[in-house]
């Protein structure tokens, strides 16, 4: 659990990783386990920087996440309205 939160906490403003990216950074393929950790313990880290495959923000948190994306200058596709998503190719981050 702590390792997942450490990876998420290291994602810079304006950048994102998918649940699968976080798992891969930890040497795992357990994207769903990352989702469970984020669901249960992720409120103290920049949770909005972990997105679903395809560039979609966390499920049921789209409205809550949008102000963070706008403030951080995260590249978005769409107008930032109801159907927005993150430009994953432009915003993807990978730990060294």
């Amino acid at each position: 659990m702590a390792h997942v939160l450490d990876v998420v906490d290291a994602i810079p403003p304006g950048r994102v990783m998918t649940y699968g990216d976080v798992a891969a950074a930890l040497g795992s393929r357990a994207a769903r386990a990352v989702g469970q950790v984020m669901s249960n313990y992720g409120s103290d880290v920049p949770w909005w920087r972990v997105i679903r495959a395809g560039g979609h923000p966390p499920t049921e948190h789209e409205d809550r996440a949008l102000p963070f994306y706008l403030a951080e200058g995260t590249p978005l596709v769409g107008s930032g309205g109801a159907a927005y998503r993150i430009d994953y190719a432009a915003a993807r981050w990978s730990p060294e």
Side-chain angles (χ1 to χ4, degrees):
M1 168 188 74
H3 296 298
V4 168
L5 299 177
D6 288 344
V7 170
V8 174
D9 203 32
I11 303 170
R15 305 297 295 275
V16 298
M17 294 177 79
T18 65
Y19 294 94
D21 290 338
V22 174
L26 297 169
S28 173
R29 295 179 56 197
R32 288 184 184 214
V34 171
Q36 287 297 312
V37 170
M38 292 303 295
S39 177
N40 292 315
Y41 306 103
S43 63
D44 291 335
V45 295
W47 55 266
W48 59 92
R49 296 180 191 152
V50 181
I51 63 171
R52 297 180 285 156
H56 300 282
T59 303
E60 297 182 15
H61 295 289
E62 296 86 353
D63 292 340
R64 214 173 127 209
L66 183 58
F68 290 110
Y69 298 137
L70 295 174
E72 293 181 357
T74 306
L76 302 177
V77 175
S79 63
Y84 82 93
R85 62 186 173 85
I86 292 84
D87 184 345
Y88 181 60
R92 184 178 190 191
W93 183 75
S94 213
E96 303 269 336

